Every structure is written in C-alpha cells, then in structure tokens.
Amino acid sequence: MIGGFILGGDNGNARVAIRGIGPSLAQVGLNNVLADPTLGLFDANGAQLIFNDNWMDDSAQAAALTAYGLAPVSNEESGIFATLPPGAFTAILAGKNGGIGVGLVEVYNLQ
C-alpha cells in the first residue's frame, strides 16, 4: 500500500507520526489482515528516510508515539515518528516476508 502526503507552509519542519496497521484491524471485524506490516518513509526523490518493522524496535520513536497517544495496539505493527521539512513524501506499507492482507497507513501532522 502506498500513501503519499505533502507537507507545506512557511512554518519550517513538521513533526509527523506514521503508522502501519494490520493485526489490530481484526479487532474491528476485518478478515485477512496484514499479519506483520513493515513501513518505509521515502522522500520525493525515492530515497528511503526511515524503515520500521515493529514499532517498539526503536525506543526513541516508540517513546514519541506513546507520548502522543499513537502507540499501535499490536507489537507487530509499524510506527515512525519523524521531523520533516516541507515537501512530498511517500509511506509504503508492506507485509514482512511477502505477506499479504488488509492494512492501513495513517499519517498524523503533530502540532
């Protein structure tokens, strides 16, 4: 799944949280959910900026996601917290080891 977003304005860098959700979607009745999502963040030139498999793997990002109340429900889900300059970005949600299923990409612009 590919989710694109644009950060703009004259306020400089923006703090964003990006979540790759899969397993917890079963709790709301969805079937065939993405069991182990991975999440990559790319800039407008296609360069990978950040990659995350399980949201708790990076303790600093996990702490930031938790502080903003955005910690994913499942440890298998992915989460990225970043400070980004204005521009176009792409978040790519994929299944680990080629896994397939229903997933969700969420992007939050944090003030």
Side-chain angles (χ1 to χ4, degrees):
M1 175 184 299
I2 300 172
F5 62 98
I6 298 172
L7 299 172
D10 297 326
N11 297 332
N13 292 343
R15 290 176 297 171
V16 298
I18 306 162
R19 301 187 334 160
I21 305 299
S24 63
L25 294 174
Q27 296 174 0
V28 294
L30 294 176
N31 296 317
N32 301 320
V33 298
L34 193 57
D36 192 357
T38 63
L39 185 63
L41 176 63
F42 299 82
D43 67 13
N45 296 315
Q48 184 172 289
L49 303 174
I50 303 171
F51 177 83
N52 182 261
D53 180 4
N54 299 322
W55 74 274
M56 295 182 72
D57 286 350
D58 182 310
S59 60
Q61 287 191 23
L65 291 166
T66 301
Y68 279 92
L70 296 171
V73 173
S74 170
N75 291 344
E76 298 295 319
E77 292 173 324
S78 300
I80 292 172
F81 182 89
T83 300
L84 302 171
F89 299 90
T90 303
I92 298 181
L93 178 68
K96 187 173 184 176
N97 299 321
I100 59 172
V102 176
L104 175 66
V105 173
E106 301 173 329
V107 180
Y108 299 88
N109 185 359
L110 307 170
Q111 301 297 321

